Amino acid sequence: MQTKHIKAFGTEAADLDLKQLEIKRRGVTSKDVEIDILYCGVCHSDLHFARNDWGFSVYPVVPGHEIVGKVVKVGEGVKKHKVGDIVAVGCLVDSCRTCNNCKNDLEQYCSGWVGTYGGHDKYLDLPTFGGYSENIVVDENYVLKVPKNLDLAGVAPVLCAGITTWSPLRHWKVGKGSKVAVVGLGGLGHMAIKLAHALGADVTLFSRSANKTKDAKDLGADRVVISTDEKQMAGVSGHFDVIIDTVPYAHDLNPYVATLNTDGTLVLVGYLGPLEPMLHSVPMIMGRKSVAGSLIGGIAETQELLDFCGKHNIVSEIEIIKIQDINEAYKRMLKSDVHYRFVIDMTSLKKQ
Ligand code: NAP
Ligand code: ZN
Ligand code: ZN
């Protein structure tokens, strides 16, 4: 197996800042596509993984799973992409391909799915390294096509923030007239508002921050409810069909369950961990309400979303940064000071 040493940004331990590293990439196998990375979005999961918040990080960590780039090389068996194509890679780069989840386009629920970073590269017996790097080599079946009309930096966050909110909106059949709420206005939250609005839903934002109200309305929210204001929360009691909760840290879900309508579902996409305080069952039983979870989306569903974004001209609201600014960007993300996704211009790594 041929390999290549390339420049990347990452960390060797949970308590260290990210810095420039050299990593090894495999050469293209017959089914692989080599992509020169142009832009990479910055997801809160990148920060969680770099800092081992979830306890399963493998170091060195090179984050980044909102990747847009240009194909520079293809293996001899590649049929779906060609040199010069603008393509994208999201959160997964492989899966077992034979289980029921894989057969049903639900690769994200395959027990053998390989994350874009922190997974296992079976060819090199190394961790997979993500998009904070010069290039990436991915099997053609896990590479997406980018609609030609979309801004290349703005489309990057569709690959995680977009699909993570799109998948539950579709699964819970959100459409015209659905009453949808989104908890938290960050990367995922702002895409959830845009997508639910484009699907025809009536959209409410739950936020702790009153100063995000104008932005939320500009993004397509019909109203904003300040989640720390009990009176405002009582005003939407029993109201929503679907709530997409993007908050990254433990928080009380009971006030949100109270705002679900009969048969309504609160979908957790943000926080990974034990719920504290506990959920009270009575409001769930009395209204046949559900609390559920959802993980990113499959490859076909991600392509469906990219095509939907192309048709409706939807991209993320972004702030472009250089890779050298990534540690500062993480600090701002922890203060919920992102409007509404950082995207790294990866030429800054090449110039270094
Ligand atoms: P983000 O840009 O930092 O946004 C999170 C938002 O949540 C903030 O803007 C803030 O909104 C709110 N928030 C933050 N801390 C809070 C707290 N302690 N209590 C209440 N609200 C808080 O993050 P993101 O990139 O959207 O990611 C959100 C979460 O989703 C992360 O944990 C990430 O790991 C996870 N994620 C999950 C999946 C999946 O497949 N399930 C995929 C991608 C990401 P307000 O200021 O409006 O309150
Ligand atoms: Zn992500
Ligand atoms: Zn599988």
Side-chain angles (χ1 to χ4, degrees):
M1 161 73 47
Q2 276 193 334
T3 58
K4 205 155 128 180
H5 289 265
I6 61 160
K7 284 195 271 188
F9 242 73
T11 179
E12 275 148 353
D15 56 351
L16 296 177
D17 275 354
L18 274 67
K19 61 169 192 186
Q20 194 175 317
L21 306 171
E22 193 183 80
I23 56 165
K24 200 153 91 173
R25 290 270 187 227
R26 68 174 188 258
V28 294
T29 69
S30 72
K31 298 295 277 176
D32 279 337
V33 173
E34 182 177 325
I35 301 160
D36 194 14
I37 301 174
L38 299 172
Y39 295 102
C40 185
V42 179
C43 180
H44 207 113
S45 300
D46 298 352
L47 184 159
H48 286 308
F49 206 78
R51 299 188 174 179
N52 200 21
D53 285 350
W54 297 324
F56 53 78
S57 299
V58 265
Y59 291 92
V61 167
V62 173
H65 56 204
E66 295 182 338
I67 299 167
V68 171
K70 192 184 239 180
V71 176
V72 290
K73 197 172 180 183
V74 294
E76 68 277 7
V78 168
K79 297 201 172 66
K80 296 182 176 166
H81 309 283
K82 57 180 193 311
V83 171
D85 285 357
I86 297 293
V87 295
V89 176
C91 306
L92 60 98
V93 289
D94 208 347
S95 64
C96 88
R97 306 172 197 217
T98 55
C99 74
N100 280 338
N101 285 324
C102 285
K103 284 185 194 150
N104 291 319
D105 293 323
L106 294 168
E107 297 90 349
Q108 74 274 33
Y109 300 117
C110 166
S111 58
W113 74 282
V114 180
T116 304
Y117 57 81
H120 182 248
D121 185 326
K122 63 186 174 202
Y123 296 97
L124 297 182
D125 197 21
L126 280 176
T128 50
F129 299 120
Y132 298 5
S133 58
E134 291 181 280
N135 64 42
I136 191 161
V137 175
V138 181
D139 182 293
E140 65 165 340
N141 292 310
Y142 297 81
V143 175
L144 289 311
K145 292 183 186 300
V146 177
K148 290 203 166 48
N149 59 317
L150 296 180
D151 174 68
L152 296 188
V155 77
V158 170
L159 277 301
C160 177
I163 186 61
T164 301
T165 52
W166 177 254
S167 187
L169 290 171
R170 297 285 283 159
H171 181 76
W172 276 278
K173 301 193 170 31
V174 165
K176 221 172 167 35
S178 304
K179 289 182 181 145
V180 172
V182 174
V183 191
L185 188 58
L188 270 58
H190 94 287
M191 288 308 295
I193 291 176
K194 283 191 177 212
L195 296 173
H197 176 72
L199 286 168
D202 177 271
V203 187
T204 300
L205 171 72
F206 285 119
S207 177
R208 304 162 302 168
S209 322
N211 59 10
K212 291 184 182 175
T213 300
K214 182 181 178 306
D215 287 356
K217 291 192 172 162
D218 290 346
L219 290 164
D222 296 279
R223 69 195 65 72
V224 175
V225 172
I226 302 306
S227 52
T228 47
D229 182 328
E230 282 179 23
K231 215 167 142 198
Q232 287 194 33
M233 292 297 281
V236 286
S237 174
H239 190 76
F240 300 109
D241 304 313
V242 178
I243 302 176
I244 310 281
D245 184 335
T246 75
V247 173
Y249 300 99
H251 56 292
D252 190 359
L253 302 187
N254 293 294
Y256 298 108
V257 171
T259 70
L260 286 171
N261 196 353
T262 309
D263 284 332
T265 304
L266 167 62
V267 189
L268 293 168
V269 293
Y271 170 65
L272 267 69
L275 298 178
E276 284 169 45
M278 285 186 193
L279 270 175
H280 203 301
S281 69
V282 170
M284 293 168 70
I285 289 170
M286 300 309 277
R288 200 163 56 185
K289 299 175 184 182
S290 308
V291 174
S294 185
L295 178 67
I296 51 173
I299 295 297
E301 196 173 40
T302 307
Q303 190 63 60
E304 171 195 76
L305 171 60
L306 283 164
D307 297 344
F308 180 89
C309 289
K311 195 168 157 208
H312 294 265
N313 220 353
I314 295 174
V315 288
S316 178
E317 301 304 307
I318 60 167
E319 189 176 329
I320 296 191
I321 60 166
K322 298 192 187 95
I323 189 69
Q324 294 78 10
D325 299 330
I326 191 67
N327 294 303
E328 190 52 38
Y330 279 10
K331 279 186 202 146
R332 283 185 50 196
M333 189 146 63
L334 284 170
K335 289 189 274 181
S336 302
D337 175 25
V338 188
H339 311 277
Y340 279 88
R341 196 63 146 185
F342 293 119
V343 172
I344 310 163
D345 175 353
M346 292 308 302
T347 58
S348 58
L349 178 61
K350 292 200 174 70
K351 285 186 199 140
Q352 175 109 334

